[in-house]
Amino acid sequence: MIGRVGAAILLGLSLPALAQEPVTTFTLDNGLNVVVIEDHRAPVVVQMIWYRVGAADEPRGHSGIAHFLEHLMFKGTEKVAPNAFSGIVEAQGGDDNAFTSWDYTAYFQRIAADRLDLVMEMEADRMRNLRLTEEDGATEREVILEERAQRTDSDPGALLMEQMRAAQYMNHPYGIPIIGWRHEMEDLGRDDALDYYQRFYAPNNATLVIAGDVEPDEVRALAEKHYGPLEPSDAIVPRERAQEPPQLAERRLVLEDERVSDPYVFRTYLAPERDPGAQAEAAALTVLAELLGGNGQTSVLARALQFDKQVAVYTSAFYNGTSIDDGTFGLAVIPAPGVSLEEAEAELDRVLAEFLENGPDPAALERIRTQIRAGEIYARDDVESLARRYGEGFSIGLGLADIEGWDEALSAVTEADIMNAARKVLDRKNAVTGWLTLPEAAPAEPTPAAAAPEVQE
């Protein structure tokens, strides 16, 4: 089946200009930033509250607090019984969830528009009125430890990425896993979470995004009613973090694990983030990632390694620059059977060198530009996606003009922009290269000729 993006490309149709849904912003007296995104196509609304604090803001030696508190936020207040929050939302026909990043923590509900008053009251209530017991802390600590066991400790790929990130960020807190280091998580308790909560969970450290079938005046009245009385925190200060020293040499590591099914080469480079008023370089890196590895059939790495030389069964590239400080640009190659990781990496380097020498194919560049722009347009079909776009942008310090001008920045990317960004970022001195592989087989012990090999059950 050909999707809308593919159909537009195949038929040569010009994509429409990005429709600008009405967006209203205002700030309450207590410092809460409010964003209202109108979308009246369905009687549905999404409420998201974004706190400008995440794993990179935790006190040194206490990793995992941001994610720990995310779990504890569902424990209850004087108005809402312990663990009842999600059940109330579900009983109204809605759903809710939360997530933690290095730069922010967000909570959201998707519900019928006529239930906005209810979920806004509940979310405002737990912003400053959370109630926790020692048992709550102990119980939820075991939950996050089990989550780490399932999602990280039992997954060799996750362990490799965790180790590589720690090597990439030797001084910056982006090198600390969001879920936390296990030995530090084991010491987290109620008081750690409450101290963090009382300092950072306040209206003057948050952005409220309401997207869907709403009117700005209605949202303003409800925000004043529920969030307006909340006291701001006097402990909010600019987020000044330790920065990375210049990286002088490539960092390499090999993770051997008997659970590995598909060995692969993974490499990340430090890369500039999106900055307020200066998004051109980040836009160029976004297009570069699509060119190199965004499509499993037509990208530079796929064509060269999967089809022309058939030394890989999978290739990809990604760029993550939606952050306050330097992000990462990454490449991955899963070798074909019989191809070693050393050979796969050598072929990756050969293709990158050719790209840096010759640049992109003009037709491929135009196709990528069209695909990215189409993706930006069709992403607006989902009010939750819209809410995330604005909430995340404001949480990392972007302004309204930056968020709404991102598609224009992508459209303006030239071949020269891409090559300048590629030559700057794809420098092995700024890279961490990891190999994920099975352990090397131990030398076999001499056995009698007639002896059958032992079968391990």
Side-chain angles (χ1 to χ4, degrees), residues 397-415:
L398 299 179
L400 187 62
D402 300 307
I403 299 167
E404 296 186 339
W406 178 237
D407 63 287
E408 184 178 344
L410 291 170
S411 298
V413 170
T414 66
E415 180 178 339

Side-chain angles (χ1 to χ4, degrees), residues 115-144:
R115 301 294 192 275
L116 176 60
D117 185 32
L118 172 65
V119 295
M120 194 177 284
E121 178 182 8
M122 292 167 60
E123 193 64 82
D125 178 39
R126 69 173 173 177
M127 177 181 278
R128 297 301 270 167
N129 300 313
L130 186 64
R131 297 291 181 266
L132 298 177
T133 65
E134 292 290 348
E135 184 181 356
D136 290 333
T139 300
E140 219 55 44
R141 182 175 60 242
E142 293 306 310
V143 171
I144 62 171

